[in-house]
Amino acid sequence: MNYRKNNPNGGRLLVRAVAVTVAAGMVLTGCTSNRPKATANSGSTAAAAAGTTGASAPGKKVRIMFSGPVADHGFLAAINRFAKEQAAKYPDVTFTALEAAPDAPSQIAAVQTAIAEKPDALIIFPQDGDQLTGVGKAATAAGIPVINLDRRFNDQSAYRMFLAGDNYKVGFNAGNYIGQKLKGKSDAVIGEITGIATLALTRERSEGFKDALAIHGLKVTRQVNASFTVQSGQAAMANLLAAAPKLDAVFNHDDDQNIGSEAAAAQANRKEFFIVGTAASNTMLKHIKNGDARIEADVTFTPAIAATAVSMARLIAQGRSSDDLAGLPLPSNMLIDSELVTKENVAQYEKFGWD
């Protein structure tokens, strides 16, 4: 049985965090024994003195290092910004962002250097999860807790925690919205502009999209690939429009791509279709709010997950957890729910927007 197809809310991961309120400064309480008791309880005196309690209170001082790809588009730049801003909120965290990596080999080399410095926790947003798995395993073997952010390693032994948005739900919510809008139109022509085709997250989004459309008796007619940039989105949309003289709807896997896609559609004077985007950028949220473009809806996949990664890394390094977990350790897998944004609810998502 394909559990995901029968339960689009997922089932492979242990914990789903609803929305991303944690990203704005998650307040957790309690502690468990991920580390020795003396470590887990450290900071209690400082907490009392400061008049704060729980995991938001200062604890053992820890060093967290972060490695990610070069920010060649807005989403990755926002990932870096959210991580740095969250770390700055904690007086007990020393945060070091490694030099951004232009490719997987250079990121591997950077992480190997970081391992030698023995940080208390390491956050890795991999250029490619498969290629970075080995160095994730090396860090874990060295006793460094690894938070694998967004692009999953292919071996669970390579991380202490995997943290990401729900990519299957991204596609499923987009497909369900399009299916409801095109209800009864069995001959609908539906396009899909994916992200980098080799990434697991791209395959998960496409799978969710396909499954949701099937519920409505629809299917993807044309699929083209892009690479999460404005330029690639524009080229992909131009190719899609050339191949499809008529379109009813398009699902775009990324909002940076969406900027280019919308430009290509406007240049071609194609007005017959609407677009559902991904990641809730400020540009797309504004389009949805004002109704001034073909962007009708978007699905959340916020870069604020990087802030949550910092919060999780800090607690893991300090041996702390949450009262919400009834004394259990922090989870090894966490998905942040992906939610549909329309004109009716766009205001509540504006605080997570990015440029």
Side-chain angles (χ1 to χ4, degrees):
M1 176 183 293
N2 186 328
Y3 183 75
R4 272 200 177 273
K5 289 185 178 181
N6 287 283
N7 183 359
N9 287 329
R12 292 183 298 190
L13 301 185
L14 300 178
V15 172
R16 180 182 309 285
V18 180
V20 283
T21 53
V22 287
M26 188 168 82
V27 179
L28 300 175
T29 57
C31 57
T32 63
S33 55
N34 285 351
R35 293 283 180 95
K37 289 184 178 180
T39 300
N41 292 325
S42 64
S44 58
T45 301
T52 57
T53 59
S56 61
K60 171 190 171 185
K61 291 187 179 297
V62 293
R63 185 183 183 192
I64 299 172
M65 302 185 80
F66 173 88
S67 172
V70 166
D72 59 359
H73 57 283
F75 182 87
L76 287 181
I79 284 281
N80 297 336
R81 176 174 60 82
F82 275 110
K84 291 176 182 177
E85 289 177 353
Q86 187 72 1
K89 296 177 181 179
Y90 298 122
D92 51 12
V93 170
T94 299
F95 182 80
T96 303
L98 304 178
E99 184 175 353
D103 51 42
S106 61
Q107 187 174 18
I108 290 170
V111 173
Q112 288 171 335
T113 299
I115 292 171
E117 296 187 29
K118 298 182 178 179
D120 297 291
L122 178 59
I123 301 169
I124 303 176
F125 187 119
Q127 180 84 22
D128 181 287
D130 289 341
Q131 294 184 63
L132 269 290
T133 296
V135 78
K137 293 177 71 172
T140 300
I144 302 168
V146 175
I147 288 74
N148 175 199
L149 184 59
D150 189 62
R151 300 174 183 175
R152 187 197 283 271
F153 297 146
N154 61 31
D155 189 328
Q156 286 185 242
S157 68
Y159 59 78
R160 164 60 181 83
M161 175 184 283
F162 172 68
L163 172 62
D166 191 333
N167 285 294
Y168 182 90
K169 280 285 293 296
V170 167
F172 190 91
N173 284 335
N176 194 45
Y177 178 83
I178 289 173
Q180 290 173 343
K181 290 281 292 186
L182 300 179
K183 186 176 182 179
K185 194 171 183 178
S186 59
D187 61 345
V189 180
I190 301 171
E192 180 182 8
I193 300 177
T194 76
I196 298 171
T198 57
L199 296 179
L201 66 88
T202 297
R203 296 191 292 273
E204 290 170 1
R205 291 178 186 183
S206 288
E207 180 186 358
F209 187 52
K210 177 183 175 183
D211 288 351
L213 288 179
I215 292 172
H216 299 278
L218 301 172
K219 62 182 180 180
V220 177
T221 309
R222 301 277 182 178
Q223 184 188 78
V224 293
N225 299 324
S227 57
F228 299 131
T229 63
V230 174
Q231 294 78 10
S232 68
Q234 186 165 2
M237 178 61 87
N239 291 336
L240 178 61
L241 295 176
K246 175 184 173 298
L247 281 169
D248 290 288
V250 173
F251 167 42
N252 197 325
H253 283 213
D254 177 77
D255 276 350
D256 280 313
Q257 291 176 179
N258 237 342
I259 294 174
S261 296
E262 170 60 19
Q267 186 175 14
N269 197 30
R270 294 283 294 272
K271 302 177 180 179
E272 79 278 10
F273 64 95
F274 64 92
I275 297 174
V276 177
T278 305
S281 71
N282 284 326
T283 298
M284 296 306 134
L285 293 179
K286 184 177 179 180
H287 281 320
I288 293 170
K289 186 175 183 178
N290 296 337
D292 57 3
R294 74 194 73 246
I295 315 296
E296 284 201 5
D298 207 286
V299 183
T300 61
F301 195 93
T302 174
I305 57 173
T308 304
V310 171
S311 295
M312 296 292 99
R314 170 179 174 265
L315 292 178
I316 290 170
Q318 293 175 335
R320 298 203 266 182
S321 188
S322 166
D323 275 351
D324 294 336
L325 296 175
L328 296 173
L330 287 169
S332 60
N333 293 276
M334 181 180 288
L335 285 184
I336 306 301
D337 198 21
S338 298
E339 301 180 319
L340 184 71
V341 182
T342 64
K343 192 169 185 176
E344 286 68 34
N345 66 1
V346 64
Q348 74 186 71
Y349 295 99
E350 290 177 322
K351 62 183 177 181
F352 296 120
W354 51 275
D355 294 306

